[in-house]
Amino acid sequence: MIPCSASHPNTGDWRRQLVEGFRTPAELLAHLELPPPDRGTEAAAAAFPLRVPRYYAGLMRRGDAEDPLLRQVLPRAEELRSAPGFGPDPTGDHAAVAGPGVLRKYAGRALLLVTGACAVHCRYCFRRHFPYADHRTEGAHWEAVIQTLRSTPEVREVILSGGDPLLPGNGRLARLVRRLSALPGLRRLRIHTRLPVVLPARVDSGLVALLADSGLATSVVLHANHPAEITPALGRALAPLRRRGVTLLNQAVLLRGVNDDPEIQVELAEKLFDIGILPYYLHQLDKVAGAAHFEVEEERARALHRIMRERLPGYLLPALVREHPGAAAKMPL
Ligand SMILES: *Cc1c(COP(=O)(O)O)cnc(C)c1O
Ligand code: SF4
């Protein structure tokens, strides 16, 4: 007999897995049978700590220092070098603050910073320098968030973002979603999350219920960058959301040495669709300080996207976009 917990992982389980994740380069590298960290890695980790769930580390190849998943999470000396054009707030988030924890950049949509924390620390993250602590929609802040949204009735869609908005427990999320679904003008709820990709157990039955029963048209936009991140475990975790009518999309970031290869991008798109996810955006890297070594030149990005267009059905081709501070939308390249 298959125990219930195998198909319905309980909330305690994902929290335990989160706590048991890797927190230092030394632990992760030893686990992968790689040489211990050099000084540059230690210094970069001191500035923005390593954080990697064991499940995600389990997708990396042992003994391969160039593994594309490892490259996304292992601190490197290059992060501490400054590069021209790379700054602390490349997406203009500071200017878009509409109230505590609310960003308004695009017509009809508001983005809520639900928490500053993440289950994994991606080295290229465009928000690594954003003062999350000042903009969290926790506890008392939620009242202010709801007030901000009440005063902007043109908002049709609320995007829960962060940090990772699935890090809070289901109880807290359900309370937030209930407040949102009571807003008269709101029709759509969207979740921007990387958590299921690095910890599929997070998609437990409570989360499925709270998203599927929100009363709003709901989508989950995942963040997977490489086909090795698309696993049967992820597919099994997401299947109940699909069955309950939640739309599943993916956004990826184009990263040098990780996925800047048309073969990899085509395989990513196909594997995503195999488990019911449509590619949505392929983001050109935001020019955040410390991430310059991940940049793919615009000409190469365009060429790669042209090849993808020739090899994929139109519905599997993500839009190649870049964010320009102050622009009315994410801009196609
Ligand atoms: C990316 C983003 C959105 C969503 O943009 P879409 O093109 O609708 O996916 C909304 N608000 C902010 C502040 C964003 O950064
Ligand atoms: S999960 Fe998203 S928000 Fe968190 S570090 Fe990675 S890219 Fe940044």
Side-chain angles (χ1 to χ4, degrees), residues 37-70:
D38 59 24
R39 259 203 223 143
T41 290
E42 295 287 15
F48 181 48
L50 174 141
R51 193 161 189 198
V52 182
R54 283 179 183 267
Y55 161 84
Y56 191 68
L59 305 180
M60 298 171 189
R61 289 186 300 257
R62 289 192 182 225
D64 182 0
E66 297 306 314
D67 179 272
L69 277 52
L70 177 62

Side-chain angles (χ1 to χ4, degrees), residues 38-304:
D38 59 24
R39 259 203 223 143
T41 290
E42 295 287 15
F48 181 48
L50 174 141
R51 193 161 189 198
V52 182
R54 283 179 183 267
Y55 161 84
Y56 191 68
L59 305 180
M60 298 171 189
R61 289 186 300 257
R62 289 192 182 225
D64 182 0
E66 297 306 314
D67 179 272
L69 277 52
L70 177 62
R71 204 174 149 79
Q72 293 177 64
V73 298
L74 185 69
R76 294 166 76 111
E78 287 103 311
E79 294 173 24
L80 302 172
R81 271 183 229 138
S82 61
F86 284 72
D89 181 28
T91 54
D93 279 2
H94 287 93
V97 172
V102 184
L103 300 186
R104 285 285 317 277
K105 277 191 195 168
Y106 307 134
R109 287 150 287 172
L111 186 144
L112 306 195
L113 301 172
V114 174
T115 172
C118 289
V120 64
H121 285 173
C122 312
R123 308 315 297 182
Y124 52 84
C125 182
F126 73 110
R127 287 194 176 131
R128 57 188 281 171
H129 305 286
F130 195 78
Y132 291 112
D134 305 341
H135 290 288
R136 282 180 308 193
T137 43
E138 281 163 17
H141 279 311
W142 284 357
E143 206 44 56
V145 168
I146 300 296
Q147 285 312 322
T148 304
L149 293 173
R150 273 221 187 89
S151 64
T152 52
E154 69 275 18
V155 171
R156 292 279 187 271
E157 178 170 16
V158 162
I159 300 165
L160 304 187
S161 183
D164 201 303
L166 296 188
L167 217 44
N170 293 338
R172 285 193 45 219
L173 282 175
R175 282 192 294 281
L176 176 59
V177 168
R178 263 200 302 277
R179 298 294 306 271
L180 293 172
S181 59
L183 291 167
L186 201 69
R187 296 188 194 165
R188 300 188 298 277
L189 173 68
R190 193 195 315 180
I191 318 289
H192 279 184
T193 179
R194 186 147 160 77
L195 232 162
V197 175
V198 299
L199 200 65
R202 176 62 188 95
V203 190
D204 55 16
S205 49
L207 182 67
V208 172
L210 86 89
L211 293 180
D213 300 333
S214 70
L216 298 163
T218 299
S219 58
V220 172
V221 182
L222 296 153
H223 172 181
N225 296 318
H226 192 278
E229 297 174 346
I230 312 306
T231 63
L234 179 63
R236 280 195 301 275
L238 297 174
L241 282 174
R242 268 184 88 199
R243 276 200 298 275
R244 300 285 315 272
V246 173
T247 300
L248 301 178
L249 302 168
N250 183 65
Q251 49 187 345
V253 183
L254 187 55
L255 299 166
R256 196 204 305 167
V258 174
N259 60 9
D260 56 338
D261 171 333
E263 298 293 333
I264 291 175
Q265 288 291 339
V266 166
E267 196 190 346
L268 174 62
E270 292 186 325
K271 285 185 82 174
L272 283 167
F273 192 67
D274 287 345
I275 60 169
I277 306 168
L278 281 171
Y280 176 40
Y281 279 143
L282 177 58
H283 291 270
Q284 188 60 321
L285 183 79
D286 294 314
K287 290 181 182 274
V288 64
H293 55 293
F294 283 113
E295 207 194 19
V296 177
E297 311 72 56
E298 219 158 282
E299 228 7 85
R300 269 194 67 223
R302 279 205 200 89
L304 176 142

